[in-house]
Amino acid sequence: MIRAEPDVSVVIGAYEAMPYLVECLASVEAQSMDPARFEVVAVDDGSRDGTGEQLEEFAARAPIAVTVVRQRNSGGPGGPRNVGLARAAGRYVFFLDADDRLGPEALERMVALADANGTDVVLGRVEGVDRKAPRSMWGRNLDRTDVFSSDIKFTLSAQKLFRRALLERHGMRFDESLWTGEDALFTMEAYLRADGVSVLADHTCYYLVGRADGKHVTRTGGHTPRFDSARALMDLLARKLPPGPRRDALMVRPFLVTVLPQFGPVFLRDDEETRRSKTELAAPLMDAHWNEGVAHRLRVHERLRLHLVAERRPDLLADVLRFVEAGQEPTPVLEKRGTRLYLAYPHFRSRTAAVPDRVYLAGPREAKAHPGWRGGPAGSFLRRAARKVRRLLSRRGATAGRPAAA
């Protein structure tokens, strides 16, 4: 008997996932979708805490078609996901981490949205449980969008619905050489290749669970893998997009999310060897991909910190970090009749530091919070209108002062 192609293959990579796996599997079994319409492919990545046995017990009793693969530990989530993807038969694939859980009706709603709009990727709303979750992209439902027209670049985790034909057509797999960030690379490529992305913002589809034991399927291995992850994502963007605003808009993500945290307050507490290592690892990334198009999209203190990293000035960076960590506010400096606002963080207009003024120049997002700033489209309109009125009054005044004709 030939089984019909399922709508969804739920791929679960599991490593030392007990007892969280119990609730994860319960959330799968509780889905509103007909059990005949989806399957589970679960890969136990060398667990020794009963994870494999729990998966096999679930496969034996659940009304869903379940495939369990048990293998030696691979060291990260990419390998198990690739094994599961190779065995998936569904029209769509959803990657579920074994310590997280699905929201009610998640699969049914996401598949319906993808089918209705013909989109290749669906983002279902994510909520955190004792853990932070991305927020900026859940403002409203989007039937069809792309990575340039929305905030989806700030959620690059793998927990999304992907059309399997897209993944197979392009031979997409997770990079198993990366210890962290392999999901960001995979998801960004899917965004760039997708024929449309849908966002389901008004229904929680996924619960991101923080583990009390601090364990996670990914071994971070210190700061070095973070730079490896950033480099891989930057290189992908450089290959897929020509230089220009579209590339710059997406390049913000690895700089802001992956590189910048390495040069936050933690940098002050790093030993000299770690500081030197971080600066050296960042150098080729800054040389290859840091530019004005990326810089002007950041807030002043973010831009300033990365500028100093690019200039190999950890001494000046430390001053900025101490200022920020102390909760100090920069003095606003208004110039050009209020149309230009600088935020005077440390070393502003210091001759010895020689940091260009443009690094301290606030964009509209920051500047609008300061009284007296007159920038932005509305300010420009008002200034033009005021000039027009002044010219009109001036002409009228000149006319009134002329002697009457004889």
Side-chain angles (χ1 to χ4, degrees):
M1 181 177 178
I2 299 175
R3 184 172 176 268
E5 178 188 47
D7 285 332
V8 190
S9 297
V10 178
V11 173
I12 304 175
Y15 172 68
E16 304 285 320
M18 295 296 289
Y20 301 91
L21 179 61
V22 176
E23 286 194 40
C24 172
L25 296 176
S27 75
V28 174
E29 195 169 7
Q31 288 298 296
S32 57
M33 179 177 279
D34 184 337
R37 291 178 55 198
F38 69 102
E39 66 172 0
V40 173
V41 183
V43 181
D44 171 29
D45 197 34
S47 303
R48 295 171 294 178
D49 67 342
T51 289
E53 291 75 13
Q54 182 70 28
L55 290 172
E56 289 178 344
E57 188 275 332
F58 178 73
R61 66 166 177 77
I64 311 157
V66 180
T67 300
V68 177
V69 179
R70 303 185 70 172
Q71 63 181 31
R72 291 184 178 179
N73 182 257
S74 65
R81 288 177 184 149
N82 285 338
V83 170
L85 180 55
R87 298 193 177 217
R91 293 190 298 123
Y92 299 98
V93 177
F94 189 91
F95 297 102
L96 171 61
D97 282 358
D99 38 19
D100 297 332
R101 57 182 185 263
L102 292 172
E105 304 178 17
L107 298 180
E108 187 168 22
R109 287 177 181 244
M110 287 189 290
V111 168
L113 191 59
D115 284 347
N117 297 287
T119 45
D120 286 335
V121 184
V122 176
L123 285 66
R125 184 182 184 89
V126 178
E127 289 190 14
V129 179
D130 298 324
R131 186 175 175 183
K132 288 185 178 180
R135 296 189 302 174
S136 64
M137 61 294 305
W138 311 125
R140 60 189 177 93
N141 291 343
L142 297 172
D143 288 341
R144 176 174 279 267
T145 188
D146 59 56
V147 72
F148 304 103
S149 308
S150 64
D151 257 1
I152 64 173
K153 65 177 175 288
F154 288 113
T155 173
L156 296 183
S157 62
Q159 292 84 35
K160 316 222 171 7
L161 189 77
F162 298 93
R163 191 179 296 272
R164 190 166 65 88
L166 170 76
L167 308 182
E168 297 303 325
R169 182 163 61 249
H170 298 288
M172 289 180 55
R173 293 296 185 269
F174 292 91
D175 186 339
E176 297 181 36
S177 70
L178 295 175
W179 280 26
T180 184
E182 78 298 324
D183 50 351
L185 196 64
F186 181 93
T187 303
M188 180 64 83
E189 183 176 355
Y191 286 165
L192 292 170
R193 293 187 180 279
D195 179 9
V197 177
S198 297
V199 178
L200 181 58
D202 63 357
H203 181 82
T204 300
C205 293
Y206 198 87
Y207 289 94
L208 193 65
V209 179
R211 292 182 59 147
D213 58 11
K215 292 182 180 179
H216 194 268
V217 289
T218 302
R219 296 181 302 180
T220 61
H223 63 271
T224 301
R226 304 296 178 186
F227 289 98
D228 292 339
S229 169
R231 182 180 62 252
L233 187 53
M234 291 175 181
D235 289 348
L236 171 72
L237 295 173
R239 289 196 308 272
K240 298 297 182 185
L241 299 168
R246 283 159 63 91
R247 183 199 285 185
D248 294 340
L250 299 191
M251 201 67 77
V252 165
R253 200 275 182 189
F255 275 115
L256 190 61
V257 175
T258 310
V259 176
L260 189 64
Q262 300 303 318
F263 299 98
V266 66
F267 190 74
L268 294 173
R269 292 177 281 279
D270 287 334
D271 57 43
E272 285 302 316
E273 175 60 25
T274 301
R275 288 191 188 189
R276 183 194 60 77
S277 174
K278 286 183 175 182
T279 303
E280 289 181 355
L281 288 168
L285 307 183
M286 307 308 294
D287 291 345
H289 303 298
W290 178 249
N291 59 46
E292 287 302 311
V294 176
H296 90 265
R297 289 173 163 82
L298 302 178
R299 292 180 294 176
V300 171
H301 79 86
E302 296 163 345
R303 184 192 313 140
L304 175 59
R305 285 154 59 191
L306 287 171
H307 172 83
L308 295 175
V309 171
E311 294 296 315
R312 282 69 154 173
R313 296 299 306 270
D315 52 334
L316 302 186
L317 175 62
D319 293 337
V320 175
L321 294 176
R322 281 190 284 268
F323 181 91
V324 172
E325 189 174 38
Q328 295 178 260
E329 292 293 331
T331 301
V333 180
L334 279 165
E335 296 182 351
K336 300 289 185 180
R337 297 183 179 180
T339 63
R340 188 170 294 175
L341 175 72
Y342 297 97
L343 296 180
Y345 283 96
H347 306 294
F348 176 60
R349 290 180 176 166
S350 160
R351 290 185 178 181
T352 54
V355 179
D357 277 7
R358 69 177 184 276
V359 178
Y360 296 88
L361 183 62
R365 180 176 58 172
E366 281 189 283
K368 66 184 180 182
H370 294 272
W373 180 69
R374 301 169 60 201
S380 299
F381 172 78
L382 292 174
R383 290 194 298 274
R384 289 196 299 271
R387 286 196 296 267
K388 187 174 181 180
V389 169
R390 286 196 298 269
R391 286 196 298 269
L392 182 60
L393 292 174
S394 178
R395 285 197 295 269
R396 287 179 178 176
T399 303
R402 292 174 189 165

